[in-house]
Amino acid sequence: MNYQNKDPSRIYVVNKNRQRKKAGTHRKELLIELYKYKSQNQPDVKLTKLMRQLSQDTGIGYRTVKNNVLEYLCEQGITQKRIARTFCEKIGTSDKCKILQKIHSFWFRHKIPTLKNITFAINADLGLPSLSACELKKVLKDLHFEYTPCNYNYRLRALTEKEEIVLWRRKYLEDIRHYRNEGRTIYYLQETWINAEEYSSKDLWADKEPSGEGKRIIVLHIGSVEGFVEGGLLCFESKTNTANYHDHMNGDIFYEWFCGILPLLKENSVIVFDNASYYSVANHVPTMSWKKDSILKWFESKGIVLDRPMVKFQLIEKVKNTRLIYDNYRRSVQESINHNKDVLRLPPYHCHLSPMQLAWEVVARHVEIKNCTSSKLEDVRQLFNDGVKLLSTEMWAGYVNSSIMHENILWNLDIITDKILDETVTAKINLVTSSESSSD
C-alpha cells in the first residue's frame, strides 16, 4: 500500500486490503489521522456516514474502521450515542425502493445481479446503509426476490423477482396506460409522518422509519396532474407507539377520510394506492396460518363477542362471514365503484411510480426551513398546508411526467430480463430455502 505525502488531506490508496486481511498498525494510525482531518473539515457529517467514507477511501473494512474510530473516541473521553444502529433502523421503505432500483439497473446494463455484486454496489453507495450479505438476504426476501441458477455456471445465481411481483407490475403498467389513453384523471394518494418535536426533511418519507419515541403526526393527501385536491389533507396525532409508521394509520380513520374524499374527485377517475399495510387484505384478515389466540384477538379488536367456544376451523368460517365488513381495502374499493371510480395498487416498493414522493419532498424542505418547534396539531397542520400550497400545477405536471418515464423504463425491464434469462437460466430456487454461493 502506497501513500502520497503525510498530509491526511492528500492521502489516497493505491492498493486496498485483500479480503479478510487485517489492517496493520501503520495503516490504522493513518486511518485515525484521516478521520481527524475529515471530522474537522466536515463537522456536519454524521459519524456513521463519515466512517463509511473512510472505509471507501482507505480500502479498510467498515467494521475495522468503526472499531478503531470508536476506540480512539473512547480514549479521548468522547462518547457517541446510538452508533451501532439496529437492522430495523438501518433500512426503511425508501431505502428498499432504492435497493430495488439498484438491482433493476443491473438488468438494464445487461449484467446479472447476484447477492455478491449487489452487496458490493449497496455498500459503495453512500446514500444507502451498509449491509452485510446476511442482512441483505432479509431485505431481498421482503422485496420478493428468489435465486435463479444460470446455465453456464450453475453456482452463479441471479436475483430475480417472483412471478407474482412481475405479474403485478405488468398489470399495473398495462392498466395505467389504458386509463391514461382514455383521458381519465389519475389521482395518487400517499401517507407520510413527522416527529412533532423535531421537524426535519429527513423525517418525511425519505430515509428511515420513525424511532418509536416522541409524538408523531401522521399526514395523508391525494393529488393529480392538476395538483393536490383542495380539502384533502388529513393530519392527526398518532396514538400508537410502534416503529413502523404505517401502523399508525388506523383503518377506520383512513376509510372515513376516503369516503369524504371521493365526492371531491372527478367522475370516472382512477385512484392509485401505495402498498401501505392498512390497504392489505392479508395483513388484517385471519387465515389458517394465524395462531388461534391471534384470531380471537382479531375478533376482540372488532368488538365481536363469540357466544360459544370454537375450534380454529369454526373461527375461520366466522371470519369469512364477517371479513367484508372489516376488510378496509375491500371497503374502499367498493366505495370507489359506487362513486364510478377505479382503483389501482402500486407494486410493493415501487414508490418512484408515484409523483407523491416528489411532492412530499417539497413539503419536507418547507418544514425544514420553518423549523417549527410547536407540537400542537393545528400548528403542524398549518405548516403542512403552507407547504402544500408551494406546489404549482406546472410542478405537479413535471412530477407526473417523471412517473411516466419510470413506467416506460420498467416496461422494458421485464422484456430485457426475459431475454437474458432465456440465454442463461435453467431453474428457479426459492430464496428462503437457498443460500448464495461464495464463489459467484
Side-chain angles (χ1 to χ4, degrees), residues 57-293:
D57 292 345
T58 63
I60 300 174
Y62 174 76
R63 292 179 182 175
T64 302
V65 171
K66 176 181 171 181
N67 291 337
N68 281 272
V69 170
L70 292 182
E71 182 179 346
Y72 164 75
L73 293 175
C74 288
E75 290 175 355
Q76 300 299 312
I78 303 172
T79 58
Q80 293 286 334
K81 293 182 179 180
R82 296 173 64 85
I83 296 300
R85 296 183 298 168
T86 65
F87 178 68
C88 291
E89 291 174 318
K90 280 185 178 182
I91 193 78
T93 302
S94 181
D95 285 333
K96 290 177 183 177
C97 293
K98 292 176 183 177
I99 290 173
L100 179 64
Q101 292 178 65
K102 190 169 287 291
I103 297 173
H104 288 168
S105 71
F106 272 73
W107 292 111
F108 287 124
R109 300 198 305 271
H110 293 266
K111 293 184 177 180
I112 295 177
T114 65
L115 181 66
K116 184 177 180 179
N117 59 28
I118 292 299
T119 303
F120 179 83
I122 290 172
N123 292 333
D125 188 339
L126 296 178
L128 286 171
S130 295
L131 297 175
S132 67
C134 212
E135 290 173 329
L136 180 57
K137 284 182 180 180
K138 296 178 182 178
V139 177
L140 293 173
K141 181 179 178 181
D142 196 33
L143 293 176
H144 304 284
F145 275 88
E146 60 190 359
Y147 292 134
T148 305
C150 298
N151 270 331
Y152 61 84
N153 183 354
Y154 186 78
R155 301 184 71 183
L156 177 64
R157 295 168 181 173
L159 290 172
T160 57
E161 290 171 284
K162 291 186 176 180
E163 179 183 355
E164 58 265 30
I165 297 300
V166 175
L167 292 176
W168 187 338
R169 180 168 57 234
R170 298 301 290 183
K171 185 178 188 308
Y172 173 84
L173 295 174
E174 289 173 351
D175 287 348
I176 200 165
R177 283 182 169 190
H178 174 72
Y179 292 141
R180 200 174 280 124
N181 289 335
E182 289 182 337
R184 300 171 68 176
T185 302
I186 299 174
Y187 293 94
Y188 300 84
L189 67 85
Q190 194 175 82
E191 169 194 355
T192 189
W193 62 274
I194 192 170
N195 281 331
E197 286 87 4
E198 44 182 271
Y199 295 120
S200 168
S201 61
K202 70 181 180 181
D203 289 334
L204 275 161
W205 173 250
D207 291 324
K208 58 185 178 182
E209 309 294 355
S211 64
E213 299 174 358
K215 182 186 294 186
R216 273 186 300 278
I217 305 300
I218 310 302
V219 185
L220 181 65
H221 216 325
I222 185 170
S224 69
V225 69
E226 298 176 357
F228 280 114
V229 175
E230 186 70 27
L233 178 66
L234 172 66
C235 188
F236 68 96
E237 181 182 340
S238 168
K239 302 296 184 182
T240 308
N241 187 31
T242 67
N244 188 346
Y245 76 88
H246 288 311
D247 292 343
H248 306 295
M249 175 61 77
N250 180 283
D252 292 330
I253 294 176
F254 170 77
Y255 180 66
E256 182 180 351
W257 171 85
F258 188 74
C259 290
I261 283 293
L262 286 172
L264 304 179
L265 309 183
K266 290 186 177 181
E267 282 297 311
N268 198 34
S269 56
V270 180
I271 307 168
V272 177
F273 287 74
D274 65 16
N275 202 44
S277 59
Y278 49 88
Y279 306 142
S280 175
V281 175
N283 286 347
H284 286 282
V285 180
T287 64
M288 282 300 293
S289 64
W290 285 36
K291 292 184 178 180
K292 187 174 181 179
D293 286 345

Side-chain angles (χ1 to χ4, degrees), residues 303-351:
I304 300 176
V305 179
L306 302 177
D307 56 359
R308 66 187 188 281
M310 295 184 182
V311 299
K312 197 171 182 179
F313 285 114
Q314 290 177 305
L315 291 173
I316 294 301
E317 185 64 27
K318 189 169 181 65
V319 166
K320 293 178 182 178
N321 295 331
T322 58
R323 63 180 294 173
L324 291 179
I325 302 174
Y326 297 102
D327 186 333
N328 295 300
Y329 174 63
R330 287 181 181 271
R331 287 197 298 172
S332 301
V333 171
Q334 188 58 53
E335 285 296 329
S336 301
I337 294 172
N338 294 343
H339 285 78
N340 192 31
K341 295 171 178 64
D342 286 303
V343 168
L344 270 180
R345 289 192 70 196
L346 283 169
Y349 303 111
H350 284 65
C351 51

